[in-house]
Amino acid sequence: MELITKTPMLTVVGAGPGDPDLITLKAIKAIESADVILYDALINEELLKYASPNAETIFVGKRKGCYAFQQEQINELIVNRAKSHGHVVRLKGGDPFIFGRGAEEIDYAQQFDVETYMVPGISSSFAVPAYQGIPLTKRDASESFWVLTGTTQFHELSKDIVLAAQSTATVVILMGMGKLNEIVDIYKSLGKDDTSVAIIQNGTTKNEKVGYGKIKNILKVVEEKQLSSPAIIIIGDVVNKRVALTSMIHDHKIKSIAV
């Protein structure tokens, strides 16, 4: 009998910010066709229901202080499974090309003649604020926005935050809760104590928690609300321009559409 081998393939897929309905049709099709799915800690595991019953699913999530796999091990796993199984889907939270290391994993796989594809995801950087009615840009409030990482690969505060804080733009900081004290100090040093801040933990999910305040009191708000990672920090006048929305997250008034 002739042995049929599959073409080694990697598709890096953005799973969106947390609400399982915020995933694209193209992403679902990729999940359905996967032979192996390597998924992160921040993805909603409900999305795995789209996987074939024959697909192998492997948790490779990374959280602060807790690593199921190191990044080098994930890279090797992608290539090994692509060579042995065929189509590997790398399922990552938000959009994999926004602080998601998706490009690094594609670069690595291409060195080993693995076909590579990318399915963008809805980024938490704008989706999470939107679910709270916060527009990142609004007339008379903000003409632009910065999206920054709070913590660099060397575990330091991004120097770009100093530049962003000097602008009139909305500033969205991912992975910044561990550096919140330093971020507050930067804004205070610029005389921006009264700048509005929103912190949203587990955005777009049933476990969502939110705190609103200003630079001068946001640390107290975080303590009172017991906010922690994973959370997004939004700084700027647009926080005051948020619109009132009828909640669709918890009461499921929007029915899921079968795909």
Side-chain angles (χ1 to χ4, degrees):
M1 180 181 293
E2 183 182 358
L3 179 64
I4 300 174
T5 58
K6 296 185 177 181
T7 301
M9 290 173 49
L10 164 66
T11 305
V12 175
V13 175
D19 183 335
D21 288 344
L22 291 179
I23 190 167
T24 65
L25 291 174
K26 197 173 190 71
I28 290 173
K29 290 175 182 177
I31 294 170
E32 289 174 337
S33 68
D35 297 303
V36 180
I37 299 173
L38 309 182
Y39 65 98
D40 276 352
L42 292 179
I43 74 124
N44 192 314
E45 293 190 19
E46 285 185 38
L47 296 176
L48 297 178
K49 71 183 181 184
Y50 295 112
S52 162
N54 298 319
E56 179 184 16
T57 57
I58 306 173
F59 174 72
V60 293
K62 300 190 292 291
R63 285 279 180 88
K64 184 178 179 181
C66 181
Y67 291 79
F69 287 82
Q70 297 293 332
Q71 186 61 49
E72 293 76 13
Q73 293 174 305
I74 294 172
N75 292 345
E76 293 174 2
L77 192 58
I78 288 170
V79 172
N80 290 339
R81 284 299 195 276
K83 296 286 189 182
S84 63
H85 289 63
H87 186 199
V88 174
V89 162
R90 181 72 173 94
L91 194 57
K92 304 171 78 72
D95 181 272
F97 277 14
I98 299 180
F99 305 120
R101 304 187 80 166
E104 295 176 38
E105 292 173 352
I106 287 174
D107 284 341
Y108 185 86
Q110 287 178 344
Q111 298 176 53
F112 299 90
D113 298 321
V114 174
E115 290 186 8
T116 53
Y117 303 90
M118 163 65 176
V119 179
I122 296 176
S123 173
S124 59
S125 62
F126 58 80
V128 168
Y131 258 44
Q132 281 297 315
I134 301 173
L136 297 188
T137 61
K138 192 173 184 181
R139 274 189 240 185
D140 302 323
S142 174
E143 298 173 355
S144 60
F145 61 90
W146 293 60
V147 177
L148 306 162
T149 177
T151 307
T152 68
Q153 63 177 319
F154 303 110
H155 306 291
E156 299 172 348
L157 183 69
S158 170
K159 293 182 174 59
D160 285 344
I161 290 177
V162 176
L163 300 174
Q166 296 175 55
S167 75
T168 59
T170 304
V171 178
V172 180
I173 303 173
L174 311 180
M175 299 172 286
M177 291 300 285
K179 305 291 185 183
L180 186 58
N181 283 297
E182 295 175 60
I183 294 166
V184 166
D185 287 343
I186 288 170
Y187 274 84
K188 284 184 174 179
S189 72
L190 295 169
K192 295 190 173 185
D193 299 58
D194 289 320
T195 302
S196 296
V197 184
I199 295 179
I200 308 170
Q201 178 183 338
N202 294 318
T204 80
T205 75
K206 63 183 180 181
N207 299 317
E208 184 176 78
K209 294 170 65 176
V210 186
Y212 292 105
K214 295 184 181 296
I215 287 294
K216 62 186 177 185
N217 70 344
I218 194 62
L219 294 176
K220 184 178 180 182
V221 171
V222 166
E223 183 178 359
E224 290 174 349
K225 298 279 188 178
Q226 296 185 322
L227 298 172
S228 61
S229 297
I232 290 178
I233 304 165
I234 304 105
I235 306 174
D237 290 343
V238 294
V239 173
N240 298 324
K241 303 291 184 179
R242 62 188 183 273
V243 296
L245 298 173
T246 303
S247 175
M248 297 293 187
I249 301 173
H250 308 310
D251 55 18
H252 300 293
K253 288 181 180 176
I254 296 179
K255 299 296 184 182
S256 297
I257 300 172
V259 177

